[in-house]
Amino acid sequence: MFKKILIANRGEIALRIIRTCREMGIKTVAVYSTADRDSLHVRFADEAVCIGKPQGTFSYLNVQAIMAAAEITNADAIHPGYGFLAENADFAEICSRYNIKFIGPTPEMIRRMGDKMTAKETMIAAGVPVIPGSEGLLESVAEAKKLAGEMGYPVILKATAGGGGKGMRVVWQESEIEKAYDTAKAEAGASFKNDGIYMEKFVEEPRHIEIQVAGDQFGTVCHLSERDCSIQRRHQKLVEESPSPFMTPELRQRMGEAAIKAASAINYESVGTIEFLVDKHRNFYFMEMNTRIQVEHGVTEEVTSYDLVKEQIKIAAGEPISGKNYEPTMHAIECRINAEDPYNDFRPSPGMIQVLHTPGGHGVRIDSHIYAGYVIPPFYDSMIAKIIAVAQTREEAISTMERALSEYVIEGVKTTIPFHQQLMKNKDFREGNFTTKFTETFELR
Ligand code: MV4
Protein backbone atom coordinates (compact mmCIF):
# COMPACT_ATOMS: atom_id res chain seq x y z
CA MET A 1 0.00 0.00 0.00
CA PHE A 2 1.06 3.59 -0.59
CA LYS A 3 2.80 5.39 2.28
CA LYS A 4 2.12 8.94 1.15
CA ILE A 5 -0.39 10.35 -1.35
CA LEU A 6 -0.21 13.82 -2.85
CA ILE A 7 -3.65 15.27 -3.58
CA ALA A 8 -3.56 17.37 -6.74
CA ASN A 9 -6.81 19.17 -6.01
CA ARG A 10 -8.61 21.53 -3.62
CA GLY A 11 -11.94 22.07 -1.89
CA GLU A 12 -14.26 19.36 -0.71
CA ILE A 13 -12.76 16.57 -2.84
CA ALA A 14 -9.29 17.19 -1.41
CA LEU A 15 -10.80 16.84 2.09
CA ARG A 16 -12.73 13.74 1.05
CA ILE A 17 -9.52 12.05 -0.13
CA ILE A 18 -7.58 13.12 2.99
CA ARG A 19 -10.30 11.57 5.19
CA THR A 20 -10.03 8.15 3.55
CA CYS A 21 -6.22 8.30 3.55
CA ARG A 22 -6.26 8.96 7.31
CA GLU A 23 -8.54 5.97 7.84
CA MET A 24 -6.17 3.84 5.76
CA GLY A 25 -3.07 5.04 7.63
CA ILE A 26 -1.68 6.80 4.55
CA LYS A 27 0.12 10.15 4.95
CA THR A 28 -1.12 13.03 2.80
CA VAL A 29 0.41 15.99 1.00
CA ALA A 30 -1.80 18.94 0.09
CA VAL A 31 -0.83 21.31 -2.70
CA TYR A 32 -2.39 24.76 -2.75
CA SER A 33 -2.49 28.03 -4.64
CA THR A 34 -1.81 31.35 -2.92
CA ALA A 35 -5.61 31.90 -2.92
CA ASP A 36 -6.09 28.67 -0.90
CA ARG A 37 -3.55 29.35 1.87
CA ASP A 38 -6.30 29.28 4.52
CA SER A 39 -8.15 26.28 3.09
CA LEU A 40 -9.07 23.24 5.17
CA HIS A 41 -7.29 20.78 2.85
CA VAL A 42 -4.04 22.57 3.73
CA ARG A 43 -4.79 22.24 7.45
CA PHE A 44 -5.98 18.63 7.40
CA ALA A 45 -3.14 17.19 5.29
CA ASP A 46 0.07 16.02 6.99
CA GLU A 47 2.15 18.31 4.75
CA ALA A 48 1.35 21.15 2.37
CA VAL A 49 3.22 22.71 -0.55
CA CYS A 50 2.34 25.99 -2.27
CA ILE A 51 2.36 25.45 -6.04
CA GLY A 52 1.60 28.86 -7.50
CA LYS A 53 -0.69 31.78 -8.15
CA PRO A 54 -4.49 31.47 -7.90
CA GLN A 55 -5.50 30.76 -11.51
CA GLY A 56 -5.75 27.04 -12.23
CA THR A 57 -3.16 27.14 -15.01
CA PHE A 58 -0.58 28.44 -12.53
CA SER A 59 -1.48 26.03 -9.70
CA TYR A 60 -3.75 22.97 -9.86
CA LEU A 61 -2.99 22.52 -13.57
CA ASN A 62 0.72 23.33 -13.16
CA VAL A 63 2.22 19.89 -13.83
CA GLN A 64 5.81 21.04 -13.23
CA ALA A 65 5.02 22.44 -9.78
CA ILE A 66 2.90 19.43 -8.78
CA MET A 67 5.60 16.93 -9.82
CA ALA A 68 8.21 18.98 -7.92
CA ALA A 69 5.98 18.93 -4.82
CA ALA A 70 5.62 15.14 -5.12
CA GLU A 71 9.40 14.74 -5.44
CA ILE A 72 10.39 16.89 -2.48
CA THR A 73 7.78 15.30 -0.18
CA ASN A 74 8.58 11.76 -1.34
CA ALA A 75 4.97 10.97 -2.26
CA ASP A 76 4.54 7.56 -3.88
CA ALA A 77 1.15 8.31 -5.49
CA ILE A 78 -0.94 11.24 -6.74
CA HIS A 79 -4.72 11.43 -6.41
CA PRO A 80 -6.09 13.92 -8.97
CA GLY A 81 -9.67 14.19 -7.60
CA TYR A 82 -12.09 15.44 -10.29
CA GLY A 83 -11.65 18.28 -12.78
CA PHE A 84 -8.16 19.80 -13.19
CA LEU A 85 -5.76 16.94 -14.19
CA ALA A 86 -8.10 14.02 -13.43
CA GLU A 87 -8.67 13.06 -17.08
CA ASN A 88 -5.40 14.32 -18.52
CA ALA A 89 -3.68 11.32 -20.12
CA ASP A 90 -0.40 13.23 -20.55
CA PHE A 91 -0.32 13.94 -16.82
CA ALA A 92 -0.97 10.27 -15.99
CA GLU A 93 1.92 9.39 -18.33
CA ILE A 94 4.26 11.90 -16.67
CA CYS A 95 3.42 10.40 -13.26
CA SER A 96 4.46 6.94 -14.41
CA ARG A 97 7.67 8.38 -15.90
CA TYR A 98 8.46 9.82 -12.44
CA ASN A 99 7.63 6.45 -10.85
CA ILE A 100 4.69 7.98 -9.01
CA LYS A 101 1.42 6.05 -9.18
CA PHE A 102 -1.43 8.00 -10.76
CA ILE A 103 -4.56 6.97 -8.82
CA GLY A 104 -6.83 6.32 -11.77
CA PRO A 105 -6.78 4.33 -15.00
CA THR A 106 -3.84 4.11 -17.43
CA PRO A 107 -3.13 6.94 -19.92
CA GLU A 108 -4.34 4.65 -22.75
CA MET A 109 -7.74 4.16 -21.06
CA ILE A 110 -8.12 7.91 -20.44
CA ARG A 111 -7.26 8.64 -24.10
CA ARG A 112 -9.58 6.00 -25.50
CA MET A 113 -12.58 7.35 -23.57
CA GLY A 114 -11.58 11.02 -23.94
CA ASP A 115 -12.10 10.89 -27.70
CA LYS A 116 -15.87 10.45 -27.92
CA MET A 117 -15.99 8.91 -31.41
CA THR A 118 -13.29 6.38 -30.48
CA ALA A 119 -15.18 5.62 -27.26
CA LYS A 120 -18.36 5.07 -29.26
CA GLU A 121 -16.63 2.78 -31.76
CA THR A 122 -15.20 0.80 -28.84
CA MET A 123 -18.72 0.37 -27.43
CA ILE A 124 -20.17 -0.71 -30.78
CA ALA A 125 -17.45 -3.38 -31.03
CA ALA A 126 -18.24 -4.49 -27.46
CA GLY A 127 -21.99 -4.77 -28.15
CA VAL A 128 -23.03 -1.87 -25.92
CA PRO A 129 -26.02 0.06 -27.34
CA VAL A 130 -25.12 3.48 -28.75
CA ILE A 131 -27.25 6.24 -30.28
CA PRO A 132 -27.71 5.72 -34.05
CA GLY A 133 -25.53 8.13 -36.01
CA SER A 134 -22.59 8.67 -38.32
CA GLU A 135 -19.98 5.97 -38.74
CA GLY A 136 -16.92 7.91 -37.68
CA LEU A 137 -16.39 11.64 -38.07
CA LEU A 138 -18.24 13.75 -40.62
CA GLU A 139 -16.14 14.60 -43.70
CA SER A 140 -18.34 17.33 -45.20
CA VAL A 141 -21.62 19.27 -44.97
CA ALA A 142 -22.88 17.21 -47.89
CA GLU A 143 -22.31 14.00 -45.93
CA ALA A 144 -24.02 15.53 -42.88
CA LYS A 145 -27.01 16.59 -44.97
CA LYS A 146 -27.34 13.21 -46.65
CA LEU A 147 -27.12 11.30 -43.38
CA ALA A 148 -29.56 13.58 -41.54
CA GLY A 149 -32.00 13.19 -44.42
CA GLU A 150 -31.79 9.40 -44.12
CA MET A 151 -32.02 9.32 -40.29
CA GLY A 152 -34.65 12.04 -40.06
CA TYR A 153 -34.52 15.25 -38.03
CA PRO A 154 -33.84 16.26 -35.30
CA VAL A 155 -30.14 15.31 -35.19
CA ILE A 156 -27.32 16.48 -32.96
CA LEU A 157 -23.74 17.37 -33.90
CA LYS A 158 -21.10 16.64 -31.27
CA ALA A 159 -17.38 17.39 -30.98
CA THR A 160 -15.34 14.21 -30.63
CA ALA A 161 -13.00 16.03 -28.22
CA GLY A 162 -15.98 17.51 -26.34
CA GLY A 163 -18.19 16.00 -23.70
CA GLY A 164 -20.20 17.63 -21.00
CA GLY A 165 -22.15 19.52 -23.66
CA LYS A 166 -19.39 21.67 -25.13
CA GLY A 167 -19.45 22.09 -28.92
CA MET A 168 -22.90 20.53 -29.38
CA ARG A 169 -25.58 21.67 -31.88
CA VAL A 170 -29.12 20.34 -32.22
CA VAL A 171 -30.44 20.58 -35.80
CA TRP A 172 -34.22 20.51 -36.24
CA GLN A 173 -34.52 20.81 -40.03
CA GLU A 174 -32.42 20.67 -43.20
CA SER A 175 -32.36 24.47 -43.64
CA GLU A 176 -30.27 24.75 -40.44
CA ILE A 177 -27.69 22.07 -41.06
CA GLU A 178 -25.08 24.04 -43.01
CA LYS A 179 -24.76 26.76 -40.39
CA ALA A 180 -24.85 24.23 -37.51
CA TYR A 181 -22.11 22.15 -39.15
CA ASP A 182 -19.86 25.18 -39.66
CA THR A 183 -20.33 26.62 -36.17
CA ALA A 184 -19.98 23.25 -34.42
CA LYS A 185 -16.76 22.55 -36.32
CA ALA A 186 -15.34 26.03 -35.65
CA GLU A 187 -16.31 25.89 -31.98
CA ALA A 188 -14.75 22.44 -31.57
CA GLY A 189 -11.53 23.57 -33.26
CA ALA A 190 -11.29 26.69 -31.11
CA SER A 191 -12.14 24.96 -27.82
CA PHE A 192 -10.28 21.66 -28.18
CA LYS A 193 -7.74 22.14 -31.00
CA ASN A 194 -9.58 19.21 -32.62
CA ASP A 195 -12.44 20.05 -35.00
CA GLY A 196 -13.70 16.49 -35.48
CA ILE A 197 -17.49 16.30 -35.25
CA TYR A 198 -19.99 13.45 -35.57
CA MET A 199 -23.76 13.12 -35.84
CA GLU A 200 -26.41 11.32 -33.82
CA LYS A 201 -30.17 11.10 -33.88
CA PHE A 202 -31.37 13.60 -31.24
CA VAL A 203 -33.12 11.84 -28.35
CA GLU A 204 -35.84 14.18 -27.08
CA GLU A 205 -36.51 14.55 -23.34
CA PRO A 206 -34.14 11.82 -22.16
CA ARG A 207 -33.05 10.96 -18.65
CA HIS A 208 -29.37 10.98 -17.74
CA ILE A 209 -28.71 7.80 -15.80
CA GLU A 210 -25.15 6.68 -15.12
CA ILE A 211 -23.76 3.42 -13.75
CA GLN A 212 -20.85 3.43 -11.30
CA VAL A 213 -18.30 0.74 -12.10
CA ALA A 214 -15.05 -0.51 -10.61
CA GLY A 215 -12.42 -2.70 -12.26
CA ASP A 216 -9.11 -4.07 -11.02
CA GLN A 217 -5.77 -5.06 -12.58
CA PHE A 218 -6.90 -8.71 -12.71
CA GLY A 219 -9.76 -8.06 -15.13
CA THR A 220 -12.54 -8.19 -12.54
CA VAL A 221 -15.26 -5.58 -13.15
CA CYS A 222 -18.36 -4.90 -11.07
CA HIS A 223 -21.08 -2.25 -11.01
CA LEU A 224 -22.53 -0.33 -8.09
CA SER A 225 -25.90 0.54 -9.59
CA GLU A 226 -27.08 3.83 -10.99
CA ARG A 227 -27.33 7.53 -10.24
CA ASP A 228 -30.03 9.65 -11.84
CA CYS A 229 -28.46 12.98 -12.82
CA SER A 230 -31.30 14.37 -14.95
CA ILE A 231 -31.65 17.57 -12.89
CA GLN A 232 -29.04 19.70 -14.63
CA ARG A 233 -28.77 23.29 -15.81
CA ARG A 234 -26.51 24.22 -18.71
CA HIS A 235 -24.78 20.85 -18.38
CA GLN A 236 -24.07 21.45 -14.68
CA LYS A 237 -25.61 18.83 -12.44
CA LEU A 238 -27.62 20.23 -9.54
CA VAL A 239 -29.16 17.13 -7.95
CA GLU A 240 -28.26 13.45 -8.15
CA GLU A 241 -29.95 10.44 -6.61
CA SER A 242 -29.81 6.69 -6.30
CA PRO A 243 -31.76 4.61 -7.05
CA SER A 244 -33.28 6.40 -10.04
CA PRO A 245 -37.06 6.82 -9.65
CA PHE A 246 -37.27 5.64 -13.30
CA MET A 247 -35.37 2.41 -12.63
CA THR A 248 -36.85 -1.09 -12.64
CA PRO A 249 -35.04 -4.26 -11.51
CA GLU A 250 -35.06 -5.44 -15.13
CA LEU A 251 -33.61 -2.17 -16.48
CA ARG A 252 -30.92 -2.15 -13.77
CA GLN A 253 -29.96 -5.68 -14.72
CA ARG A 254 -29.61 -4.72 -18.40
CA MET A 255 -27.84 -1.38 -17.80
CA GLY A 256 -25.53 -2.96 -15.21
CA GLU A 257 -24.55 -5.68 -17.69
CA ALA A 258 -23.96 -3.10 -20.43
CA ALA A 259 -21.81 -0.98 -18.10
CA ILE A 260 -19.70 -4.00 -17.16
CA LYS A 261 -19.31 -4.85 -20.87
CA ALA A 262 -18.25 -1.26 -21.54
CA ALA A 263 -15.60 -1.20 -18.79
CA SER A 264 -14.40 -4.72 -19.59
CA ALA A 265 -13.94 -3.77 -23.25
CA ILE A 266 -10.94 -1.63 -22.25
CA ASN A 267 -9.88 -3.79 -19.26
CA TYR A 268 -10.76 -0.79 -17.15
CA GLU A 269 -8.92 -0.50 -13.86
CA SER A 270 -10.09 2.06 -11.32
CA VAL A 271 -13.50 3.41 -10.41
CA GLY A 272 -15.38 4.99 -13.30
CA THR A 273 -18.80 5.88 -14.62
CA ILE A 274 -20.70 4.86 -17.74
CA GLU A 275 -23.17 7.62 -18.70
CA PHE A 276 -26.33 6.59 -20.52
CA LEU A 277 -29.20 8.47 -22.11
CA VAL A 278 -32.50 6.71 -21.37
CA ASP A 279 -35.56 7.47 -23.50
CA LYS A 280 -39.20 7.33 -22.40
CA HIS A 281 -39.50 3.70 -23.56
CA ARG A 282 -36.54 2.77 -21.31
CA ASN A 283 -34.22 2.26 -24.27
CA PHE A 284 -30.73 3.19 -23.10
CA TYR A 285 -27.68 4.30 -25.05
CA PHE A 286 -24.01 4.74 -24.10
CA MET A 287 -23.12 8.44 -24.04
CA GLU A 288 -19.64 8.73 -22.50
CA MET A 289 -17.39 7.19 -19.89
CA ASN A 290 -15.91 9.26 -17.05
CA THR A 291 -12.54 7.87 -15.99
CA ARG A 292 -12.44 9.71 -12.65
CA ILE A 293 -14.08 9.80 -9.23
CA GLN A 294 -17.10 12.05 -9.71
CA VAL A 295 -18.61 14.84 -7.63
CA GLU A 296 -21.69 12.68 -6.99
CA HIS A 297 -19.83 9.52 -5.88
CA GLY A 298 -21.14 9.96 -2.31
CA VAL A 299 -24.70 9.14 -3.40
CA THR A 300 -23.55 5.66 -4.42
CA GLU A 301 -21.48 5.31 -1.24
CA GLU A 302 -24.53 6.02 0.91
CA VAL A 303 -26.78 3.46 -0.80
CA THR A 304 -24.17 0.68 -1.14
CA SER A 305 -21.90 1.27 1.93
CA TYR A 306 -18.90 1.09 -0.41
CA ASP A 307 -16.07 3.63 0.07
CA LEU A 308 -15.30 4.49 -3.55
CA VAL A 309 -12.16 6.50 -2.75
CA LYS A 310 -10.78 3.65 -0.65
CA GLU A 311 -11.49 1.15 -3.46
CA GLN A 312 -9.90 3.50 -6.00
CA ILE A 313 -6.72 3.69 -3.88
CA LYS A 314 -6.68 -0.08 -3.29
CA ILE A 315 -7.10 -0.81 -7.00
CA ALA A 316 -4.26 1.59 -7.86
CA ALA A 317 -2.08 -0.23 -5.30
CA GLY A 318 -2.76 -3.51 -7.12
CA GLU A 319 -5.31 -5.04 -4.78
CA PRO A 320 -8.20 -7.10 -6.21
CA ILE A 321 -11.89 -6.19 -5.89
CA SER A 322 -14.48 -8.79 -4.88
CA GLY A 323 -16.34 -8.64 -8.19
CA LYS A 324 -19.80 -8.61 -6.65
CA ASN A 325 -22.30 -6.06 -7.91
CA TYR A 326 -23.98 -3.72 -5.41
CA GLU A 327 -27.71 -2.95 -5.30
CA PRO A 328 -29.03 0.12 -3.48
CA THR A 329 -30.29 -0.78 -0.02
CA MET A 330 -31.26 2.82 0.80
CA HIS A 331 -32.33 5.96 -1.07
CA ALA A 332 -29.92 8.91 -1.27
CA ILE A 333 -30.39 12.36 -2.78
CA GLU A 334 -27.63 14.92 -3.18
CA CYS A 335 -28.07 18.69 -3.54
CA ARG A 336 -25.05 20.63 -4.74
CA ILE A 337 -24.78 23.90 -2.82
CA ASN A 338 -23.07 26.50 -5.00
CA ALA A 339 -22.07 30.04 -4.09
CA GLU A 340 -24.33 31.37 -6.86
CA ASP A 341 -27.44 33.53 -7.00
CA PRO A 342 -30.28 31.30 -8.23
CA TYR A 343 -32.51 34.39 -8.64
CA ASN A 344 -29.95 36.02 -10.93
CA ASP A 345 -29.13 33.42 -13.61
CA PHE A 346 -26.96 31.49 -11.13
CA ARG A 347 -24.33 34.23 -11.14
CA PRO A 348 -21.26 33.29 -9.04
CA SER A 349 -21.25 34.89 -5.58
CA PRO A 350 -17.73 34.65 -4.13
CA GLY A 351 -16.79 36.32 -0.84
CA MET A 352 -16.54 35.72 2.90
CA ILE A 353 -18.82 33.30 4.77
CA GLN A 354 -19.90 35.56 7.64
CA VAL A 355 -22.17 33.16 9.51
CA LEU A 356 -22.34 29.39 9.16
CA HIS A 357 -24.49 26.74 10.69
CA THR A 358 -24.17 23.28 9.16
CA PRO A 359 -26.99 20.72 9.26
CA GLY A 360 -26.47 17.30 10.82
CA GLY A 361 -28.48 14.57 12.44
CA HIS A 362 -29.83 11.25 11.22
CA GLY A 363 -29.50 10.59 7.52
CA VAL A 364 -27.52 13.73 6.67
CA ARG A 365 -24.03 13.74 5.16
CA ILE A 366 -22.31 17.04 4.40
CA ASP A 367 -19.17 17.11 2.25
CA SER A 368 -17.81 20.64 2.42
CA HIS A 369 -14.65 22.64 2.94
CA ILE A 370 -16.26 25.88 4.17
CA TYR A 371 -16.09 27.41 7.66
CA ALA A 372 -17.16 30.70 9.24
CA GLY A 373 -14.67 33.34 8.09
CA TYR A 374 -13.64 31.36 4.98
CA VAL A 375 -13.33 33.44 1.83
CA ILE A 376 -14.64 31.72 -1.32
CA PRO A 377 -12.14 32.68 -4.04
CA PRO A 378 -13.47 33.71 -7.45
CA PHE A 379 -10.98 31.55 -9.40
CA TYR A 380 -12.51 28.08 -9.16
CA ASP A 381 -15.89 26.42 -9.50
CA SER A 382 -18.55 27.65 -7.15
CA MET A 383 -19.58 24.42 -5.41
CA ILE A 384 -19.11 24.91 -1.66
CA ALA A 385 -20.96 21.93 -0.21
CA LYS A 386 -22.87 18.77 -1.00
CA ILE A 387 -25.77 17.66 1.17
CA ILE A 388 -26.63 13.98 0.88
CA ALA A 389 -29.87 12.87 2.54
CA VAL A 390 -30.22 9.12 3.10
CA ALA A 391 -33.34 7.21 4.12
CA GLN A 392 -35.16 3.96 3.44
CA THR A 393 -37.50 5.48 0.86
CA ARG A 394 -37.37 8.35 -1.64
CA GLU A 395 -40.18 10.18 0.17
CA GLU A 396 -38.27 10.05 3.46
CA ALA A 397 -35.02 11.10 1.78
CA ILE A 398 -36.81 14.16 0.38
CA SER A 399 -38.17 14.98 3.87
CA THR A 400 -34.70 14.60 5.36
CA MET A 401 -33.29 16.86 2.61
CA GLU A 402 -35.95 19.51 3.27
CA ARG A 403 -35.14 19.41 6.98
CA ALA A 404 -31.37 19.67 6.31
CA LEU A 405 -31.83 22.56 3.84
CA SER A 406 -33.93 24.42 6.41
CA GLU A 407 -31.12 24.09 8.99
CA TYR A 408 -28.35 25.34 6.69
CA VAL A 409 -27.40 28.93 7.54
CA ILE A 410 -24.86 30.49 5.17
CA GLU A 411 -24.55 34.28 5.37
CA GLY A 412 -22.24 36.52 3.36
CA VAL A 413 -22.70 34.87 -0.04
CA LYS A 414 -25.71 33.88 -2.12
CA THR A 415 -26.29 30.13 -2.45
CA THR A 416 -28.42 27.67 -4.39
CA ILE A 417 -30.23 26.56 -1.20
CA PRO A 418 -33.51 28.37 -2.16
CA PHE A 419 -33.48 26.58 -5.52
CA HIS A 420 -33.23 23.20 -3.81
CA GLN A 421 -35.92 24.09 -1.27
CA GLN A 422 -38.37 24.88 -4.04
CA LEU A 423 -37.33 21.84 -6.07
CA MET A 424 -38.00 19.49 -3.14
CA LYS A 425 -41.57 20.87 -2.99
CA ASN A 426 -42.20 20.49 -6.73
CA LYS A 427 -44.91 17.97 -7.58
CA ASP A 428 -43.21 16.57 -10.69
CA PHE A 429 -39.91 16.18 -8.85
CA ARG A 430 -41.64 14.46 -5.93
CA GLU A 431 -43.37 12.08 -8.33
CA GLY A 432 -40.05 11.27 -10.02
CA ASN A 433 -41.45 12.74 -13.19
CA PHE A 434 -38.50 14.63 -14.74
CA THR A 435 -36.07 14.60 -17.67
CA THR A 436 -32.97 16.60 -18.58
CA LYS A 437 -35.34 19.40 -19.73
CA PHE A 438 -36.82 19.84 -16.24
CA THR A 439 -34.86 22.95 -15.19
CA GLU A 440 -35.74 24.75 -18.46
CA THR A 441 -39.35 25.04 -17.33
CA PHE A 442 -38.80 25.20 -13.56
CA GLU A 443 -39.33 28.75 -12.36
CA LEU A 444 -37.81 30.00 -9.12
CA ARG A 445 -40.14 32.32 -7.28
C1 MV4 B 1 -27.55 13.94 -26.53
C2 MV4 B 1 -28.85 14.40 -26.25
C3 MV4 B 1 -29.87 13.94 -27.05
N1 MV4 B 1 -29.61 13.13 -28.09
N2 MV4 B 1 -27.34 13.14 -27.58
C4 MV4 B 1 -25.33 16.60 -23.20
C5 MV4 B 1 -23.97 16.45 -22.63
C6 MV4 B 1 -23.28 15.41 -23.42
N3 MV4 B 1 -22.76 14.42 -22.53
C7 MV4 B 1 -24.31 14.82 -24.32
N4 MV4 B 1 -25.53 15.52 -24.10
C8 MV4 B 1 -26.67 15.19 -24.76
N5 MV4 B 1 -26.50 14.34 -25.80
C9 MV4 B 1 -28.35 12.75 -28.33
N6 MV4 B 1 -28.11 11.95 -29.39
C10 MV4 B 1 -29.04 15.24 -25.17
C11 MV4 B 1 -27.95 15.68 -24.44
C12 MV4 B 1 -28.25 16.59 -23.38
C13 MV4 B 1 -28.14 16.23 -22.04
C14 MV4 B 1 -27.68 14.97 -21.66
C15 MV4 B 1 -27.58 14.63 -20.34
C16 MV4 B 1 -27.95 15.54 -19.38
C17 MV4 B 1 -28.40 16.80 -19.72
C18 MV4 B 1 -28.50 17.15 -21.05
C19 MV4 B 1 -28.94 18.42 -21.38
C20 MV4 B 1 -29.05 18.76 -22.70
C21 MV4 B 1 -28.68 17.85 -23.69
Side-chain angles (χ1 to χ4, degrees), residues 54-168:
Q55 288 83 353
T57 47
F58 299 129
S59 53
Y60 302 101
L61 291 168
N62 183 345
V63 173
Q64 295 274 348
I66 291 166
M67 296 317 293
E71 290 256 295
I72 59 171
T73 56
N74 231 342
D76 44 17
I78 295 183
H79 197 306
Y82 52 67
F84 296 120
L85 298 167
E87 286 168 296
N88 185 320
D90 295 339
F91 177 68
E93 213 161 77
I94 289 165
C95 288
S96 79
R97 216 179 302 141
Y98 274 69
N99 237 344
I100 293 170
K101 183 70 192 170
F102 175 83
I103 300 176
T106 64
E108 294 71 31
M109 295 170 194
I110 299 174
R111 266 194 204 107
R112 175 86 79 105
M113 291 299 133
D115 185 273
K116 305 306 166 193
M117 194 65 233
T118 307
K120 200 171 165 180
E121 284 164 351
T122 305
M123 294 309 145
I124 294 168
V128 176
V130 301
I131 303 163
S134 57
E135 278 178 46
L137 301 177
L138 295 168
E139 301 290 345
S140 65
V141 187
E143 186 195 349
K145 198 174 281 182
K146 180 164 176 285
L147 187 60
E150 288 164 10
M151 284 199 307
Y153 291 88
V155 298
I156 186 168
L157 300 173
K158 295 182 176 181
T160 191
K166 269 185 270 169
M168 282 183 3

Side-chain angles (χ1 to χ4, degrees), residues 87 98 117 154 185 195 286 305 322 333 361 365 411 434:
E87 286 168 296
Y98 274 69
M117 194 65 233
K185 204 162 176 65
D195 69 356
F286 170 85
S305 307
S322 81
I333 302 179
R365 166 173 167 180
E411 286 179 19
F434 52 81

Side-chain angles (χ1 to χ4, degrees), residues 391-403:
Q392 291 192 354
T393 66
R394 185 169 191 269
E395 292 66 35
E396 291 172 298
I398 292 172
S399 300
T400 300
M401 181 62 80
E402 288 185 297
R403 189 270 292 170

Side-chain angles (χ1 to χ4, degrees), residues 219-287:
T220 306
V221 176
C222 70
H223 79 77
L224 295 101
S225 298
E226 78 281 3
R227 293 183 290 260
D228 192 317
C229 307
S230 300
I231 306 289
Q232 314 199 352
R233 185 183 170 277
R234 299 191 184 161
H235 304 297
Q236 293 283 56
K237 294 171 184 165
L238 296 168
V239 174
E240 304 95 347
E241 66 178 297
S242 183
S244 167
F246 197 59
M247 193 51 65
T248 63
E250 183 263 349
L251 180 61
R252 181 178 295 119
Q253 172 73 24
R254 289 194 294 130
M255 288 182 72
E257 272 173 27
I260 289 176
K261 247 194 217 174
S264 301
I266 59 164
N267 294 313
Y268 191 70
E269 52 176 79
S270 190
V271 299
T273 300
I274 317 292
E275 293 185 353
F276 293 99
L277 275 188
V278 184
D279 73 14
K280 59 175 180 287
H281 309 294
R282 292 195 169 80
N283 297 309
F284 62 88
Y285 308 94
F286 170 85
M287 202 163 40

Side-chain angles (χ1 to χ4, degrees), residues 220-413:
T220 306
V221 176
C222 70
H223 79 77
L224 295 101
S225 298
E226 78 281 3
R227 293 183 290 260
D228 192 317
C229 307
S230 300
I231 306 289
Q232 314 199 352
R233 185 183 170 277
R234 299 191 184 161
H235 304 297
Q236 293 283 56
K237 294 171 184 165
L238 296 168
V239 174
E240 304 95 347
E241 66 178 297
S242 183
S244 167
F246 197 59
M247 193 51 65
T248 63
E250 183 263 349
L251 180 61
R252 181 178 295 119
Q253 172 73 24
R254 289 194 294 130
M255 288 182 72
E257 272 173 27
I260 289 176
K261 247 194 217 174
S264 301
I266 59 164
N267 294 313
Y268 191 70
E269 52 176 79
S270 190
V271 299
T273 300
I274 317 292
E275 293 185 353
F276 293 99
L277 275 188
V278 184
D279 73 14
K280 59 175 180 287
H281 309 294
R282 292 195 169 80
N283 297 309
F284 62 88
Y285 308 94
F286 170 85
M287 202 163 40
E288 11 190 291
M289 177 171 191
N290 300 320
T291 57
R292 60 173 188 276
I293 188 89
Q294 286 182 273
V295 173
E296 62 269 29
H297 73 277
V299 167
T300 299
E301 293 183 327
E302 294 307 315
V303 297
T304 63
S305 307
Y306 191 99
D307 181 331
L308 282 162
V309 173
K310 184 187 269 182
E311 290 308 314
Q312 190 185 25
I313 292 169
K314 283 164 65 174
I315 291 165
E319 292 186 22
I321 58 170
S322 81
K324 109 177 197 359
N325 299 326
Y326 285 73
E327 300 271 324
T329 60
M330 298 289 277
H331 198 102
I333 302 179
E334 171 172 276
C335 290
R336 296 191 188 191
I337 311 302
N338 296 345
E340 294 172 354
D341 182 357
Y343 297 100
N344 201 346
D345 204 30
F346 289 75
R347 231 206 349 240
S349 177
M352 184 183 284
I353 310 253
Q354 304 284 359
V355 178
L356 179 66
H357 179 268
T358 303
H362 186 62
V364 176
R365 166 173 167 180
I366 308 283
D367 280 18
S368 175
H369 58 291
I370 64 173
Y371 56 84
Y374 174 67
V375 178
I376 300 158
F379 308 103
Y380 315 105
D381 84 27
S382 57
M383 192 179 74
I384 54 171
K386 301 182 294 198
I387 308 179
I388 303 176
V390 193
Q392 291 192 354
T393 66
R394 185 169 191 269
E395 292 66 35
E396 291 172 298
I398 292 172
S399 300
T400 300
M401 181 62 80
E402 288 185 297
R403 189 270 292 170
L405 287 164
S406 76
E407 286 179 8
Y408 223 155
V409 179
I410 302 176
E411 286 179 19
V413 299

